[in-house]
Amino acid sequence: MGLESHIISGVRVLNIAEENGEAIEKMVNRAIAEINNDKIKILEIQTTGDNLILILGSKEN
């Protein structure tokens, strides 16, 4: 997904190293709920071996 037409307002990094699937699921669901409560959009999700990175922002008008 290209981010050229978006305004990036921040990132959220979740460390998923040494966590089981259930713990990761709860952690991500909690983060998504908090982001939605703040009325921010998740523009992209990226992963590394140890982290889940949520790129946050809005679409440029």
Side-chain angles (χ1 to χ4, degrees):
M1 173 178 165
L3 297 175
E4 302 85 32
S5 63
H6 293 83
I7 298 171
I8 297 173
S9 62
V11 297
R12 179 117 180 223
V13 179
L14 304 173
N15 186 324
I16 58 173
E18 301 180 18
E19 299 290 344
N20 64 31
E22 185 178 337
I24 293 170
E25 195 173 312
K26 286 180 183 178
M27 188 184 325
V28 172
N29 284 336
R30 189 174 334 123
I32 290 171
E34 290 172 4
I35 291 165
N36 285 337
N37 284 340
D38 291 340
K39 306 279 192 258
I40 300 171
K41 295 196 181 299
I42 298 172
L43 302 177
E44 187 171 332
I45 300 173
Q46 299 179 357
T47 60
T48 67
D50 295 337
N51 297 302
L52 180 71
I53 303 163
L54 306 173
I55 310 295
L56 310 174
S58 61
K59 187 165 182 152
E60 198 170 61
N61 290 331

